Amino acid sequence: METLRELSEVIHGPIRELPAALSRLLAPGAGHRALTILAADVDGGHRRGAGESSVLDQVPYLDLVEMRRRMSPGTVRRDTMVAEGAAEEVLLALSRNGALLALAGPTCDAEGERAVLDLWNIVSLRVQRLADTAPPSWLRLARMSAGERMEALTELADEYSTTLETVLAALRSRALDDAAARTTATGIAAAGLVHLRTVSDRVRTVAEEPVTTAFERLRDDLGPLVRYREIDMQFVEPPLDGRPLPSEVAHGARAVVRGTILAMLDDPEVGRVRVQWDCDGKNLLIDMRDDGEGGLSRESIQYQLVEDRIQALRGRIALDATPGWGTDLSIVIPLDPPHAPAGLPADWALGAREQEILVRVAAGLRNREIAAELTISENTVKFHLANVYRKLGVSSRAEATALYFAQARQDEPAAR
């Protein structure tokens, strides 16, 4: 009973305290030096931890992602990671919804490992629920951040590739007579190119999810929603060669479908729901139909929640609800993220911190959220925001946001 009480505290406690609370819960049966959580749904995955910070800081994020990739959902296994320059044993538990739990220096037997997985399967539902109910502003910021991240990555790859290729050309020149130096330098430069391209590929893998994998996860997620009601769930698979989905689109699309299913199930006459995903190369296309009474309206709270999330992803939604004939929802979500303005006008004269705050204001974040993300005080946010208003000649967040996106729209043709 004590374990159940502690589990309840973990699930219902603040998200920031979840890693530490989970660590305390697991400690009696599975001792560990440190604990790391890699959530299933965010822009590539959100990482939180508890325990010896030196251990956690030494684990590369991409290594955790690679460990997760090699596992099947609902499994547990042991592996090794490099921490503080030495190999460290780690216990990995991958929940059924794809969230990874890693325990550094575990002290438990096979029964304890199974208990860790069982508890993690329960706690990870809380983590997913928090992601599902994240405000639309999170998705707007994730979409913009994704565009900036991939553009920066491409520029970095191009810059270093050009530099290293130039080095290779110079070192291969017949004008250089030090063969040993040329051979050594050529090997180092070639290895650098391979490493850069490998890192680039890995980052893109983290930031994207195959559309078939995303759809398979959706099917698994919907199981608990219809377990206690006789619903004929029909799934139309996306094409195998469909374009991979950006991680925030995959997450947002799954959350939209789950929310829509819950709204449809409010109608007791619904006995069949059909879910179809498709891709046209530029968009994720979602079609959902039920055989109920067609009572879902655009004014309903459930519909508004779904619409807000779709709009945050820059998508479109069409509702066709006919009384007595059921509901048909068609959703289009663009796969390419919006571009932040390539360069804010010089006459805006915004400092670096002011630009960071303006981006987040445009994404819908409040002062408290901005302060937490930038690790500054709310008063500092207010100070910089007042300067932004003064320099832009506006008096509200809405005006600043409108001006920002007007500039973004002007930059889009050049970006394409």
Side-chain angles (χ1 to χ4, degrees), residues 101-396:
L101 172 68
L103 301 181
T107 58
C108 60
D109 54 18
E111 183 178 352
E113 292 178 2
R114 185 66 205 180
V116 168
L117 179 60
D118 289 340
L119 290 171
W120 179 231
N121 273 324
I122 297 173
V123 174
S124 65
L125 292 176
R126 159 72 166 163
V127 177
Q128 177 177 297
R129 177 60 179 166
L130 289 169
D132 284 353
T133 56
S137 60
W138 177 90
L139 285 174
R140 285 194 291 271
L141 185 58
R143 285 261 70 192
M144 185 165 293
S145 297
E148 294 171 345
R149 180 179 65 241
M150 294 311 297
E151 287 174 5
L153 176 63
T154 300
E155 291 174 2
L156 182 66
D158 290 344
E159 177 184 346
Y160 277 90
S161 292
T162 300
T163 301
L164 291 175
E165 286 164 0
T166 302
V167 171
L168 282 174
L171 293 177
R172 287 170 175 163
S173 171
R174 294 181 179 180
L176 300 175
D177 56 6
D178 191 343
R182 186 164 61 249
T183 300
T184 301
T186 299
I188 293 173
L193 272 173
V194 172
H195 174 71
L196 177 63
R197 287 166 180 162
T198 299
V199 172
S200 176
D201 290 343
R202 289 181 71 185
V203 171
R204 286 190 172 91
T205 299
V206 170
E208 295 179 339
E209 189 173 343
V211 64
T212 51
T213 302
F215 193 75
E216 183 178 350
R217 283 192 55 194
L218 172 67
R219 296 182 64 166
D220 292 341
D221 291 349
L222 291 178
L225 297 182
V226 298
R227 181 174 300 161
Y228 303 107
R229 180 170 169 181
E230 292 187 7
I231 297 291
D232 178 16
M233 290 294 305
Q234 300 178 353
F235 297 95
V236 181
E237 303 279 350
L240 293 176
D241 59 351
R243 177 180 164 184
L245 306 181
S247 58
E248 67 276 2
V249 170
H251 158 60
R254 284 191 292 265
V256 163
V257 173
R258 287 193 293 262
T260 304
I261 293 290
L262 288 174
M264 288 178 166
L265 293 184
D266 280 346
D267 182 351
E269 299 301 319
V270 170
R272 183 176 65 255
V273 176
R274 181 176 181 269
V275 180
Q276 178 178 1
W277 279 19
D278 201 351
C279 290
D280 63 3
K282 295 183 178 180
N283 303 283
L284 173 64
L285 311 175
I286 303 174
D287 186 74
M288 302 182 63
R289 301 179 186 179
D290 69 32
D291 63 347
E293 290 296 314
L296 183 62
S297 72
R298 292 177 174 80
E299 288 71 36
S300 69
I301 295 177
Q302 297 96 325
Y303 180 86
Q304 291 296 327
L305 291 173
V306 170
E307 187 176 46
D308 287 347
R309 188 171 290 273
I310 293 171
Q311 289 178 350
L313 290 165
R314 297 174 58 247
R316 308 186 302 275
I317 180 173
L319 170 66
D320 184 8
T322 305
W325 290 89
T327 300
D328 187 352
L329 278 172
S330 296
I331 300 167
V332 178
I333 300 176
L335 300 183
D336 294 315
H339 291 274
L344 297 178
D347 59 2
W348 287 10
L350 297 182
R353 181 65 84 185
E354 292 166 349
Q355 292 185 38
E356 291 177 337
I357 289 176
L358 176 58
V359 168
R360 285 159 176 78
V361 167
L365 273 65
R366 310 307 300 172
N367 289 352
R368 182 170 58 182
E369 296 170 315
I370 297 173
E373 188 164 302
L374 297 179
T375 320
I376 58 179
S377 70
E378 283 191 62
N379 285 335
T380 302
V381 173
K382 292 177 182 177
F383 171 78
H384 287 302
L385 192 54
N387 287 336
V388 170
Y389 287 171
R390 176 176 54 80
K391 292 179 179 181
L392 300 186
V394 301
S395 59
S396 69

Side-chain angles (χ1 to χ4, degrees), residues 35-96:
L35 172 153
T36 299
I37 293 172
L38 189 64
D41 281 322
V42 222
D43 58 344
H46 196 87
R47 177 177 174 178
R48 296 181 183 273
E52 296 185 25
S53 60
S54 58
V55 177
L56 300 174
D57 294 343
Q58 290 292 324
V59 184
Y61 170 75
L62 290 179
D63 286 356
L64 286 174
V65 174
E66 180 64 18
M67 290 177 179
R68 179 170 66 182
R69 189 188 65 81
R70 296 199 301 262
M71 297 180 66
S72 299
T75 61
V76 61
R77 70 180 180 87
R78 292 187 181 241
D79 205 330
T80 57
M81 64 181 183
V82 177
E84 298 180 295
E88 171 105 26
E89 185 178 33
V90 60
L91 178 66
L92 303 171
L94 188 63
S95 68
R96 286 187 291 267

